[in-house]
Amino acid sequence: MSTALPPTHSPGPARAAALTAAVCLLVAGCSALGGDEDGSAADAAGGSGGDRMKIVMVTHGGEGDAFWDRVRKGAEAAAAKDGVDLTYAGDADTADQADLVRDAIRDKADGIAVTLAKPQAMKAPVAEAKAAGIPVVGLNSGIDAWRSTGLLEYFGQDESVAGRAVGDKLDDLRAKHALCVIHERGNVALEARCAGVKKTFGGETEMLYVEGTDMKAVGAAVTARLRQDPSIDEVVMNGAAFALTAVEAVDEAGSDAHVATFDLDNDLVAAVKRGDVQFAVDQQPYLQGYLAVDALWLYRTNGNVSGGGVAPVLTGPAFVTRTNADSVAEFAAGGTR
């Protein structure tokens, strides 16, 4: 799931415009993008000319968020390959996210991709989409809820598995006291990560809840906790921007703690190379966006269901450390890792 900075959600009156104006991407069928001059790419997508397949992706991320930019780039790349019209929209507010899905239903989308940061809020709109004959796939958040929510397929990282892997790694690094920082209370993915760390880490794990929409407040809270307890020797963050803030907080507190994180971007990879961040867990958001769009196209054109509809398709976790950061840096600079 996204673990980058949650945006301030768009106001209610602006939500309706968000879906119609948010990046309706006519990305196929033109020679500049490798499409067929005779329209065969559009035909393969289930239509021709102005009747191409329409796919809508609705996430809980916001515009300008580096993590979600990667998800969106992957979705755009798949849409360009498959010859479909893609609309991307996001809102951190679960009610507004649900309404964006309902907008897609009213617009008669051919397929919808959603995130399930708070699954209960999405059950009703997903059921409405299914009743309208629209397939819905999941990505990024909700790996424990995608089947019960009624999704066709799921693409993402098992956050509990990722958390347990981090706990094992902290043991290997001989850490003793980890502070796992959750920047959005109730977000099932973030909670699962920190719970996973606690399950396998042999030392002490404590959770710190912070207000992720205020980065200064995040830094202040981490600084204060480190000053209160000098025994904390590892700070585990849940997003690249948060990890860089934690690095500053460690310095401000005069602490000897190391910083590790879930998720990465170009700046984070550079921080790992410098040794400012010990390691990052990459869930490959570009791949999540790509696979979600491509899966809907494959289902509509060939009846394919990845994972057979019973198993998720995992995109992580993969560790990025100082020893392998160079191999990732080029892709991170291009905005795809």
Side-chain angles (χ1 to χ4, degrees):
M1 81 135 285
S2 163
T3 54
L5 178 63
T8 302
H9 70 268
S10 59
R15 180 201 49 78
L19 190 59
T20 55
V23 200
C24 195
L25 301 164
L26 307 183
V27 290
C30 61
S31 58
L33 291 173
D36 291 337
E37 299 272 344
D38 62 5
S40 60
D43 291 342
S48 60
D51 192 29
R52 290 197 296 268
M53 183 188 299
K54 297 189 298 184
I55 291 177
V56 177
M57 179 173 287
V58 178
T59 76
H60 63 278
E63 186 176 354
D65 184 311
F67 181 94
W68 292 106
D69 286 347
R70 283 159 169 73
V71 172
R72 180 168 154 179
K73 280 188 177 182
E76 291 173 0
K81 177 184 74 71
D82 296 335
V84 304
D85 293 352
L86 172 68
T87 300
Y88 177 97
D91 202 305
D93 183 86
T94 52
D96 287 345
Q97 187 187 1
D99 283 342
L100 286 169
V101 174
R102 292 186 173 99
D103 287 343
I105 297 169
R106 284 190 289 270
D107 286 346
K108 302 188 186 310
D110 296 298
I112 301 173
V114 299
T115 60
L116 300 177
K118 296 176 181 176
Q120 190 62 36
M122 300 303 291
K123 278 192 173 182
V126 168
E128 292 165 26
K130 291 178 64 179
I134 303 172
V136 186
V137 303
L139 70 150
N140 182 261
S141 298
I143 195 167
D144 294 325
W146 69 275
R147 292 185 66 191
S148 61
T149 305
L151 302 186
L152 181 68
E153 307 167 64
Y154 180 87
F155 306 91
Q157 176 173 265
D158 187 321
E159 304 296 2
S160 179
V161 170
R164 294 197 297 271
V166 168
D168 288 337
K169 192 164 188 66
L170 295 183
D171 281 335
D172 292 341
L173 294 169
R174 301 182 185 278
K176 300 298 182 185
H177 186 173
L179 182 70
C180 197
V181 182
I182 297 175
H183 59 256
E184 184 183 355
R185 188 180 291 272
N187 185 312
V188 293
L190 305 187
E191 300 279 359
R193 287 175 174 181
C194 288
V197 173
K198 187 172 184 177
K199 186 170 185 177
T200 58
F201 178 42
E204 179 182 354
T205 303
E206 66 172 280
M207 280 51 152
L208 177 66
Y209 289 87
V210 297
E211 180 51 65
T213 57
D214 185 344
M215 194 62 83
K216 288 184 179 180
V218 172
V222 174
T223 298
R225 187 68 192 105
L226 291 174
R227 285 175 173 167
Q228 290 168 356
D229 193 342
S231 73
I232 297 170
D233 57 3
E234 195 78 42
V235 179
V236 180
M237 304 301 289
N238 275 291
F242 297 105
L244 298 177
T245 295
V247 171
E248 296 176 358
V250 168
D251 290 341
E252 180 71 18
S255 171
D256 294 326
H258 298 285
V259 176
T261 190
F262 294 87
D263 301 330
L264 69 154
D265 60 16
N266 191 37
D267 292 337
L268 195 283
V269 172
V272 171
K273 291 175 67 175
R274 291 193 305 268
D276 293 341
V277 175
Q278 211 167 20
F279 64 85
V281 179
D282 184 15
Q283 63 173 300
Q284 301 187 96
Y286 177 94
L287 185 60
Q288 293 173 6
Y290 186 98
L291 291 176
V293 170
D294 201 40
L296 287 166
W297 178 78
L298 284 168
Y299 178 73
R300 298 294 296 200
T301 60
N302 203 48
N304 298 118
V305 179
S306 297
V310 296
V313 177
L314 299 182
T315 62
F319 284 100
V320 177
T321 66
R322 204 168 186 178
T323 59
N324 68 355
D326 282 336
S327 65
V328 178
E330 177 184 354
F331 303 115
T336 58
R337 288 291 295 275

